Amino acid sequence: DAGVTQSPTHLIKTRGQQVTLRCSPISGHKSVSWYQQVLGQGPQFIFQYYEKEERGRGNFPDRFSARQFPNYSSELNVNALLLGDSALYLCASSFPGQGATTQYFGPGTRLLVL
Amino acid sequence: GQNIDQPTEMTATEGAIVQINCTYQTSGFNGLFWYQQHAGEAPTFLSYNVLDGLEEKGRFSSFLSRSKGYSYLLLKELQMKDSASYLCAVRGRGVTGGGNKLTFGTGTQLKVEL
């Protein structure tokens, strides 16, 4: 079975631009979460979506937004990019209802803002 | 809020045993996860604890004491490929739909030497 997929793998943008990152969850998984990982740090929670509704939001500015589609795939949008937005953006999916509700991560999108 | 502490770096010898500790303070607790992350790659799930005690999975074991806010990951028969960052993450109570928010530590960079 395919794991979590993300696109693009790498992206270079300039300050002030906007970016859209995409994620497809593991087949059958209905919950998608987004994390930002800056070099040398652990991932930081941005959003969780389940059944197309936002179920959790981390401490990120309104420049960050996301949505989930009927097929459970998701997009993360970041507007007015800052240099500090340079990071690895990780998407994780999980299957609600299982005891562990383990989150499985995709390979990430590495964003560089110049 | 949640605060998670783990050592920044550890070094061990191939074939040996290493224990990576994690302490946490949380406003709610709904499970603790350990992930392995090789440089430039996504975190991969290693173990999950929600009740006190030891969970064993091959060369990897994880222990949890909820009353002490403490967990450790034990790696036996170390191999060179075990050189990676090990992330401790706590899941907080809250949103429905599974895949609740994970709060990660900064990770412990393990170096396995000959």
Side-chain angles (χ1 to χ4, degrees):
Chain A
D1 285 343
V4 178
T5 60
Q6 293 186 244
S7 63
T9 56
H10 295 80
L11 205 50
I12 299 175
K13 292 285 189 178
T14 56
R15 280 179 296 175
Q17 286 189 309
Q18 175 265 342
V19 68
T20 298
L21 310 180
R22 296 176 178 83
C23 170
S24 291
I26 293 170
S27 177
H29 285 195
K30 299 182 178 181
S31 180
V32 170
S33 297
W34 287 94
Y35 292 81
Q36 180 196 65
Q37 187 175 25
V38 174
L39 196 62
Q41 300 293 317
Q44 297 248 325
F45 174 76
I46 309 175
F47 287 111
Q48 184 206 356
Y49 275 78
Y50 171 63
E51 291 287 10
K52 302 182 291 294
E53 290 187 9
E54 182 184 302
R55 300 301 183 108
R57 174 185 282 256
N59 188 23
F60 280 81
D62 292 343
R63 299 185 296 108
F64 289 77
S65 63
R67 55 179 174 167
Q68 187 177 33
F69 299 98
N71 65 355
Y72 304 109
S73 66
S74 178
E75 285 183 352
L76 175 71
N77 294 284
V78 187
N79 293 323
L81 284 167
L82 304 174
L83 297 180
D85 295 332
S86 295
L88 178 67
Y89 288 85
L90 295 163
C91 172
S93 77
S94 61
F95 184 77
Q98 290 178 334
T101 59
T102 299
Q103 294 188 37
Y104 296 92
F105 286 85
T109 294
R110 193 164 295 280
L111 173 65
L112 177 62
V113 181
L114 301 176
Chain B
Q2 294 174 322
N3 187 44
I4 299 173
D5 289 311
Q6 49 182 133
T8 305
E9 295 179 340
M10 298 183 72
T11 302
T13 305
E14 189 178 36
I17 299 172
V18 71
Q19 177 175 312
I20 302 174
N21 296 323
C22 172
T23 58
Y24 63 90
Q25 297 93 40
T26 64
S27 56
F29 179 83
N30 198 20
L32 186 143
F33 294 79
W34 284 94
Y35 285 84
Q36 179 192 61
Q37 187 175 29
H38 286 99
E41 298 182 10
T44 55
F45 170 72
L46 290 178
S47 69
Y48 166 73
N49 295 73
V50 67
L51 300 176
D52 291 351
L54 187 68
E55 293 284 339
E56 297 188 79
K57 256 190 189 182
R59 295 190 301 116
F60 296 83
S61 303
S62 58
F63 172 83
L64 175 67
S65 169
R66 289 172 297 171
S67 62
K68 295 182 179 178
Y70 168 69
S71 173
Y72 67 72
L73 180 69
L74 196 70
L75 292 77
K76 305 174 188 174
E77 301 169 14
L78 280 172
Q79 302 174 9
M80 298 298 288
K81 67 178 183 180
D82 296 329
S83 293
S85 179
Y86 290 85
L87 298 161
C88 173
V90 172
R91 186 173 68 194
R93 295 187 189 282
V95 299
T96 58
N100 292 346
K101 169 188 172 182
L102 292 179
T103 299
F104 283 85
T106 56
T108 298
Q109 188 65 44
L110 174 66
K111 183 178 179 182
V112 180
E113 299 179 328
L114 290 171

